[in-house]
Amino acid sequence: MTLLKGKKLWLPLIAGSLVFSLAGCGGNSAKTEPASNGAKDPVTITFSFDQGIGQPAQTLVDEYNASQDQYVVKTKILPQDANVVHDDFVNKLASGDKSVDVMALDVVYVAEFAAAGWLTDLTPYFDQATQDKYLPGTIETATYNGQLVAFPWFTNASALFYRKDVLDQLGVEPPTTYQGWMDLQSKVQGMNDVQYTGVFQAALSEALVCNWVEYVANNGGEILDASGKPVVNSENNIEATQIMLDMVKSYAPQGVTTYTEPESEQVFLDGKALFIRDWSGFWSQANKEGSKVKDKVGVAALPVGPKGTESHSTLGGLNLVINNSIDDEHKAAAVDFIKYLSSESVQKKMNLIAAQPPVLKEVYQDPEVLKANPFYADFYDIIMNGKARPMSPHYSRVSDSIQRNIHAALSEHIDIKTALDTIQTDLEALSK
């Protein structure tokens, strides 16, 4: 089962939303020194990303420049704004602009950019044996129509963070099903300040899309089938959405349909929820000084529904792409730089300086990485089963339809069947 089907289904469109950003406001890295002894000047390329991870990215660029003299990487740092980053890249690539060679692109935009012909095919540079060293879900987010049009840089996935102290008092293991968590409601009410079984993100936002596709995947459902055909209004998906509605109505805070990450996190940090569905980075927040749940938190895979067989989390993160308009000399430099950023030592460093989950499997076994992120022992299996949101050149419209209709169903403004039928119709229209 996969949420990443039908890469041939969609036609190009400008999209626009980001799980989390990577960029900045514009500067460059190490200066280009003239080559000596008659040697050829190094090839200079430009790497663009957003300020959200500006300093760690700049550190890696500076170290790359110091490590060899064949290439020089300069940086173009954009504001930490999803729409600004997306539109900047679109404007450049659509016009054949060659001022940027490598870009850090949110995973949800890969299909859009690839369908437009803007991305270099990286398949010749990363054979299957190399790809197999990386988390499978991250390779999937970098693939379009069978071509590796991007390469994973770092990733992110959701998990279920829960009150370990409460479950220890009850003498029970974390349930693996939604029903199992619901069955704990009466037992945990009032224990160690717990008021709600769970909290998650159900506001009219991209966060809602991430949550809903998990309910679908974890009940054996799909958004697109193996041929790329929308299958949104399947019986499995209706049941999955009903489970989500039940959670909203009876087991979560009353305002959960207005919650994105900050609001839901505060409920859990205040000790009021037994579990929270959140991104991996929440671990450090839950265990920092001032958190009422510090040292009381466990990590588990998301629950499965009655028709689910295994747990899947939504993947986020950034992929590295090469401007297809640049010449072969600059493409060679760009490939070398991407290989550097995706190497084991640099993946490890990126995690230690920026707390970004690596894409290379081996890094999750590194003692230093495990010491800095002890929950990775549990998180590795979770992220190995991570899935992307539906990859589409029309992603912004796909997301908009899901947001509007699922939120209306969770707010009980329309019934679930009507909501899913409407999404189905919207996605079918995009496939024509």
Side-chain angles (χ1 to χ4, degrees):
M1 177 189 65
T2 176
L3 295 176
L4 263 167
K5 301 287 186 182
K7 301 181 180 67
K8 295 183 179 179
L9 174 63
W10 312 97
L11 299 174
L13 180 75
I14 308 310
S17 127
L18 207 46
V19 181
F20 65 94
S21 195
L22 213 231
C25 58
N28 30 36
S29 62
K31 297 178 181 177
T32 307
E33 298 296 338
S36 57
N37 302 321
K40 183 180 178 182
D41 288 344
V43 176
T44 299
I45 60 173
T46 299
F47 176 36
S48 188
F49 51 90
D50 80 63
Q51 185 61 46
I53 198 163
Q55 188 54 55
Q58 187 68 60
T59 297
L60 300 181
V61 168
D62 292 342
E63 292 185 0
Y64 173 75
N65 287 333
S67 72
Q68 47 75 49
D69 58 11
Q70 189 174 5
Y71 307 117
V72 171
V73 177
K74 295 184 178 181
T75 57
K76 173 64 176 177
I77 308 177
L78 299 172
Q80 189 178 352
D81 181 293
N83 291 331
V84 169
V85 173
H86 172 270
D87 293 350
D88 182 86
F89 290 167
V90 167
N91 290 336
K92 284 183 170 62
L93 297 178
S95 65
D97 190 307
K98 301 177 184 179
S99 64
V100 172
D101 304 90
V102 180
M103 290 151 285
L105 184 66
D106 188 274
V107 295
V108 299
Y109 299 139
V110 169
E112 174 194 342
F113 283 46
W118 296 335
L119 306 183
T120 299
D121 180 12
L122 302 182
T123 311
Y125 308 106
F126 298 92
D127 61 21
Q128 192 59 51
T130 299
Q131 294 181 42
D132 288 345
K133 296 177 182 178
Y134 293 80
L135 298 170
T138 66
I139 294 295
E140 198 171 10
T141 69
T143 303
Y144 182 78
N145 277 355
Q147 292 183 328
L148 190 72
V149 294
F151 204 79
W153 184 17
F154 62 81
T155 188
N156 201 0
S158 57
L160 202 76
F161 299 89
Y162 65 91
R163 288 288 296 276
K164 189 174 184 299
D165 59 322
V166 174
L167 294 195
D168 286 348
Q169 275 186 252
L170 291 174
V172 299
E173 294 295 316
T176 59
T177 66
Y178 291 106
Q179 189 61 53
W181 285 101
M182 292 174 182
D183 290 344
L184 292 176
Q185 172 98 326
S186 60
K187 298 177 182 178
V188 302
Q189 283 285 323
M191 280 186 65
N192 300 6
D193 298 323
V194 170
Q195 298 178 27
Y196 313 106
T197 296
V199 65
F200 43 97
Q201 299 82 42
L204 184 64
S205 66
E206 184 64 22
L208 173 59
V209 179
C210 296
N211 279 254
W212 179 68
V213 297
E214 291 166 348
Y215 278 87
V216 166
N218 294 337
N219 196 47
E222 296 177 312
I223 309 302
L224 307 173
D225 67 13
S227 68
K229 177 184 175 182
V231 287
V232 179
N233 54 358
S234 69
E235 290 301 318
N236 282 28
N237 293 359
I238 291 171
E239 183 178 48
T241 311
Q242 182 63 55
I243 293 169
M244 192 175 188
L245 176 59
D246 291 343
M247 289 294 302
V248 166
K249 290 173 62 177
S250 304
Y251 300 94
Q254 188 173 6
V256 72
T257 54
T258 67
Y259 289 1
T260 56
E261 284 82 0
E263 295 84 7
S264 59
E265 288 166 358
Q266 194 58 55
V267 173
F268 188 82
L269 293 172
D270 287 342
K272 296 178 180 178
L274 180 61
F275 74 76
I276 181 173
R277 175 267 178 214
D278 208 345
W279 301 99
S280 61
F282 180 67
W283 171 265
S284 59
Q285 189 175 353
N287 287 287
K288 69 180 181 181
E289 292 300 327
S291 166
K292 293 183 179 179
V293 297
K294 184 177 183 293
D295 301 325
K296 300 176 182 178
V297 180
V299 181
L302 296 177
V304 297
K307 295 184 178 64
T309 58
E310 60 181 347
S311 172
H312 298 289
S313 297
T314 298
L315 287 179
L318 292 175
N319 289 342
L320 300 165
V321 298
I322 297 176
N323 182 350
N324 205 29
S325 294
I326 63 176
D327 61 33
D328 289 344
E329 185 178 44
H330 286 80
K331 284 182 180 178
V335 168
D336 188 79
F337 179 57
I338 288 176
K339 287 183 175 181
Y340 164 82
L341 290 179
S342 59
S343 66
E344 181 180 354
S345 61
V346 179
Q347 284 277 296
K348 174 181 174 179
K349 178 149 194 172
M350 184 66 170
N351 176 262
L352 295 178
I353 66 175
Q356 300 294 352
V359 293
L360 192 61
K361 296 175 186 175
E362 193 170 350
V363 181
Y364 286 87
Q365 314 305 320
D366 186 277
E368 285 185 77
V369 170
L370 286 171
K371 183 178 179 180
N373 307 277
F375 75 101
Y376 275 10
D378 299 309
F379 185 61
Y380 179 73
D381 287 340
I382 295 171
I383 203 166
M384 275 289 288
N385 281 332
K387 298 288 184 181
R389 285 153 284 174
M391 286 188 69
S392 166
H394 294 296
Y395 184 75
S396 63
R397 289 165 68 180
V398 172
S399 174
D400 178 68
S401 179
I402 292 172
Q403 288 183 42
R404 287 185 292 102
N405 290 288
I406 297 302
H407 191 266
L410 297 182
S411 303
E412 297 190 283
H413 296 150
I414 59 175
D415 63 79
I416 289 172
K417 181 69 163 57
T418 299
L420 298 196
D421 284 346
T422 303
I423 300 171
Q424 176 77 15
T425 300
D426 289 346
L427 269 59
E428 287 176 350
L430 291 173
S431 69
K432 294 177 181 177

